[in-house]
Structure formats: structure tokens, C-alpha cells
């Protein structure tokens, strides 16, 4: 068992050392810390190695530190992006991956045992932010208008379609400047998933994915890059992770949901999307569900889960039990920590459902080794 842990650590450590070349020094520090911790593992405390999404990294980092203090179980997490987390899970280099994008059937077929459990850990959303001076109230946007803006079909802010939605706003005669992500990201996947769901033209054109060929606009790297471009570009509109928009006090649009209400990417509205989607599905074994355009008058329509990814057959009995202990702790005791950091935890009723489903899917694997 120790050899297995050391092997995984060596693979992921090498990967991150290469990826960290030219990166900020904190990345190298995280790699060194994870490697040193794994070297100290012994038979009484199996370190769990994880890698993946950057969006939940602040939450996972705090969770893993606090869980180690409570349980003595050390979990090392390397923030390398959703795609990297999926790749390392498939390579059996980590005990779990993390992603804001669900794995495809083709990706799952390449994973150990050709089965992956998707475990929702937190909720996120995509917010639409803009640079329009003098607006007395938040901009209101419908699904069709959002699609037309990002397809380049609406080119000025005083377009009649925008004016009809915002009769109380003095929209300027400025050109629409679209800002999108230049890098592959879970945020782009969520937004393009939404656009593909609500717009036939988008579904038949750019489609959904982590890395989109955008019809118009200029790109920015990461949430920070998009936000910076929007702030310095008159008439700009872009999309960023909802928590990032809130923490940086960016203006965000009210988006019309499936019930016809205009809602903001706030905590209750994001949670409502998750509850309403899963209420419509009877005990789903596969929690790769999309939350975009969710039913319910209070649901924010561009929401998503952030998942942990686990291949049950790749875990030993002890690894399975330790992971289950963490999941139980994170989705109950860890709720307060999530809110402290600005993340939206799963509602209690949903967390209980996720835990029950996950135990049922992971426990059988405990008897395999």
C-alpha cells in the first residue's frame, strides 16, 4: 500500500514540477509540500492524493487542513485545472480528481475499472459582468439576447432587443465588446453548456466545451483576465465565476430563468437550481447532472456543481474508508468553512442525498482489496 502511495506521488509530483516551470513560486511550494507529506505516510495514516480544478482550490485547501487536524488523515491536493484532474484520474496517478466539468462517457471508459463516481462538493455559477456607465439598476438579459450578444448578432447596447428588456435604463449608443476566456476552463464549459441549452443557433455553432472557438470578441486568461478586460473596455460584456464577481464587486446582470423570472447569481438562487434539478430526478446514481436553465422561479440559470471524481476500483479498502470519512466531514462540518470562503455549500437535504448515493457506490469497492 505504501508503494502505491509513493508511486502516485512521484507521478503527480513530476507532472507538477514540469507544469510549474515559469509559474508563480507558490505553485512550486505546493508541489514540494505535497511531496514531503506523502513521503511521511505510514501504515497507520494513508495520504490521499488529489488533483484538478482551480476554482475550488481555496475551499479544498482549507477543508483538507482542518480535516487533518480533526482526523489525522492527510490529503494532498494539486490545483492543475479540471482537465488535468481528469487526466490524472484516468492515469491512476491520484486517488481522486476534481473538476467543474463532468467527465464524458469516453473519458470514463478509459478510467480504472471504466467507472467513475461524480461527487458534488459545492455549487458554483457563472455571472455576466459588463462595463456600462450610468446605469441606475442591474442589466436584465434573456437567454436569446445573451446568445445573440456572444454570437455577435447584437452589436450595439441601444439595440431594440436590449432596450425592450431594460426600459428604465439609459443604454448608451456604444458598440458591444465581447470578452471571453482565452484558456480552456470549467467556467467556459458551464457558460457554453447554458448557451447550447437555450439557443439552437449556439448549439449548432460553437457548441459546448472547455475551449470554445468564439464567434466574436477578445480573450482573457482566467477570471482575473476577463474581469480586467471588461473593466478597461467601454461597452464590454464578459463572463466570470460568480464568487469571483461577488468578491471583486463586479456589476452582474439579472438573467431570465426557465420560469421567466430575472434572478441574480446569489447563494439562495444557485442552491435552488440544484435542489430543483435533483428533485426532478428520482435517486440518480449518476450525478453528472447539468444545472443550467433549471426549473423553479428562484433558480439562477447558469449554475453548476463542482465535483470530486473517484474510480472505485482504483482504491484500496482503507483509501475508500478514509475518503468516505472526509466526504462525511466536508458535507456536514465543512459547511461553515465553505461559507466563510464565499463558496455555496450543498443544501442539507441535497448533501444527505449525495452522501447516501456515494456510500452506496463506493462501499462495494472496499471488499475488492
Amino acid at each position: 500500500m505504501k508503494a502505491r502511495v509513493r508511486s502516485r506521488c512521484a507521478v503527480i509530483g513530476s507532472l507538477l514540477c514540469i507544469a510549474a516551470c515559469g509559474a508563480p513560486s507558490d505553485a512550486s511550494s505546493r508541489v514540494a509540500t505535497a511531496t514531503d507529506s506523502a513521503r511521511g505516510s505510514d501504515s497507520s495514516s494513508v495520504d490521499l492524493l488529489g488533483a484538478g480544478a482551480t476554482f475550488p482550490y481555496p475551499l479544498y485547501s482549507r477543508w483538507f487542513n482542518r480535516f487533518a487536524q480533526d482526523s489525522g488523515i492527510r490529503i494532498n491536493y494539486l490545483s492543475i485545472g479540471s482537465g488535468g484532474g481528469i487526466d490524472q484520474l484516468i492515469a491512476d496517478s491520484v486517488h481522486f480528481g476534481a473538476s467543474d466539468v463532468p467527465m464524458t462517457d469516453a473519458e470514463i471508459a478509459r478510467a480504472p475499472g471504466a467507472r467513475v463516481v461524480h461527487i458534488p462538493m459545492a455549487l458554483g455559477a457563472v455571472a455576466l459582468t459588463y462595463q456600462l456607465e450610468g446605469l441606475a439598476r442591474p442589466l436584465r438579459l434573456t437567454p436569446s439576447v445573451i446568445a445573440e450578444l456572444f454570437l455577435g448578432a447584437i452589436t450595439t447596447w441601444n439595440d431594440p432587443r436590449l432596450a425592450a428588456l431594460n426600459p428604465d435604463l439609459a443604454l448608451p449608443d456604444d458598440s458591444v465588446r465581447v470578452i471571453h476566456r482565452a484558456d480552456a476552463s470549467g467556467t467556459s464549459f458551464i457558460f457554453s453548456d447554458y448557451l447550447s441549452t437555450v439557443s439552437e443557433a449556439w448549439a449548432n455553432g460553437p457548441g459546448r466545451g472547455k475551449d470554445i472557438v468564439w464567434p466574436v470578441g477578445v480573450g482573457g486568461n482566467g477570471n482575473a483576465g476577463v474581469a480586467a478586460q471588461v473593466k478597461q473596455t467601454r461597452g464590454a460584456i464578459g463572463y466570470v465565476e460568480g464568487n469571483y464577481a461577488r468578491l471583486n464587486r463586479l456589476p452582474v446582470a439579472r438573467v431570465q430563468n426557465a420560469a421567466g423570472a430575472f434572478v441574480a447569481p446569489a447563494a439562495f438562487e444557485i442552491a435552488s437550481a440544484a435542489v430543483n434539478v435533483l428533485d426532478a430526478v428520482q435517486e440518480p446514481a449518476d450525478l453528472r447532472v447539468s444545472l443550467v436553465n433549471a426549473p423553479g422561479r428562484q433558480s439562477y440559470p447558469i449554475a453548476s456543481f463542482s465535483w470530486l471524481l473517484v474510480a472505485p476500483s482504483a482504491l484500496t479498502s482503507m483509501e475508500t474508508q478514509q475518503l468516505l470519512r472526509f466526504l462525511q466531514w466536508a458535507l456536514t462540518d465543512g459547511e461553515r468553512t465553505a461559507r466563510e470562503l464565499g463558496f455555496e455549500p450543498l443544501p442539507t437535504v441535497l448533501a444527505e442525498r449525495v452522501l447516501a448515493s456515494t456510500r452506496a457506490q463506493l462501499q462495494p469497492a472496499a471488499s475488492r482489496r
Side-chain angles (χ1 to χ4, degrees), residues 293-309:
N293 208 37
R297 186 162 184 79
Q298 295 175 306
S299 298
Y300 182 69
I302 321 178
S304 178
F305 286 128
S306 189
W307 293 271
L308 283 192
L309 311 171

Side-chain angles (χ1 to χ4, degrees), residues 129-132 150 157 175-183 216-240 244 248 250-251:
T129 187
Y130 47 87
Q131 173 60 277
L132 296 172
F150 281 83
W157 281 107
S175 297
V176 174
R177 308 292 185 186
V178 170
I179 312 295
H180 54 75
R181 288 286 287 267
D183 54 326
V216 293
V218 298
N221 286 315
N223 287 305
V226 171
Q229 291 267 28
V230 170
K231 285 181 179 180
Q232 66 189 22
T233 306
R234 180 171 174 170
I237 183 169
Y239 62 95
V240 296
Y244 185 91
N248 288 275
L250 302 175

Side-chain angles (χ1 to χ4, degrees), residues 296-362:
R297 186 162 184 79
Q298 295 175 306
S299 298
Y300 182 69
I302 321 178
S304 178
F305 286 128
S306 189
W307 293 271
L308 283 192
L309 311 171
V310 180
S313 65
L315 299 180
T316 66
S317 176
M318 183 175 291
E319 290 163 354
T320 298
Q321 295 307 319
Q322 291 191 328
L323 182 60
L324 286 171
R325 283 183 62 187
F326 166 71
L327 295 173
Q328 175 68 41
W329 180 92
L331 295 180
T332 53
D333 295 345
E335 179 181 293
R336 180 176 177 180
T337 299
R339 288 201 169 94
E340 287 173 354
L341 294 174
F343 289 84
E344 180 57 28
L346 302 186
T348 300
V349 63
L350 182 54
E352 292 173 350
R353 191 170 177 181
V354 167
L355 285 169
S357 173
T358 302
R359 289 192 199 98
Q361 295 184 77
L362 294 188

Side-chain angles (χ1 to χ4, degrees), residues 143-216:
S144 62
V145 163
I146 294 170
E148 289 172 326
L149 284 166
F150 281 83
L151 284 168
I154 293 178
T155 58
T156 59
W157 281 107
N158 62 351
D159 185 284
R161 288 163 286 188
L162 285 164
L165 291 173
N166 300 276
D168 54 345
L169 298 182
L171 296 174
D173 185 18
D174 289 341
S175 297
V176 174
R177 308 292 185 186
V178 170
I179 312 295
H180 54 75
R181 288 286 287 267
D183 54 326
S185 74
T187 308
S188 288
F189 178 86
I190 297 165
F191 187 45
S192 63
D193 182 30
Y194 169 73
L195 290 173
S196 295
T197 300
V198 300
S199 167
E200 184 176 353
W202 189 276
N204 293 331
R208 54 172 57 83
K210 298 187 288 292
D211 194 4
I212 297 294
V213 178
W214 297 92
V216 293

Side-chain angles (χ1 to χ4, degrees), residues 38-106:
R39 287 195 186 114
S41 64
D42 56 41
S43 59
S44 64
S45 179
V46 176
D47 288 327
L48 300 177
L49 299 176
T54 58
F55 156 63
Y57 173 73
L59 175 59
Y60 289 166
S61 179
R62 185 75 62 83
W63 266 353
F64 296 150
N65 285 336
R66 291 187 175 177
F67 180 62
Q69 294 170 8
D70 289 354
S71 68
I73 299 171
R74 294 163 295 180
I75 303 177
N76 305 297
Y77 182 74
L78 304 173
S79 178
I80 60 174
S82 295
I86 290 172
D87 289 343
Q88 294 308 303
L89 182 76
I90 291 172
D92 196 18
S93 299
V94 293
H95 298 101
F96 63 88
S99 179
D100 302 324
V101 181
M103 292 177 68
T104 65
D105 289 343

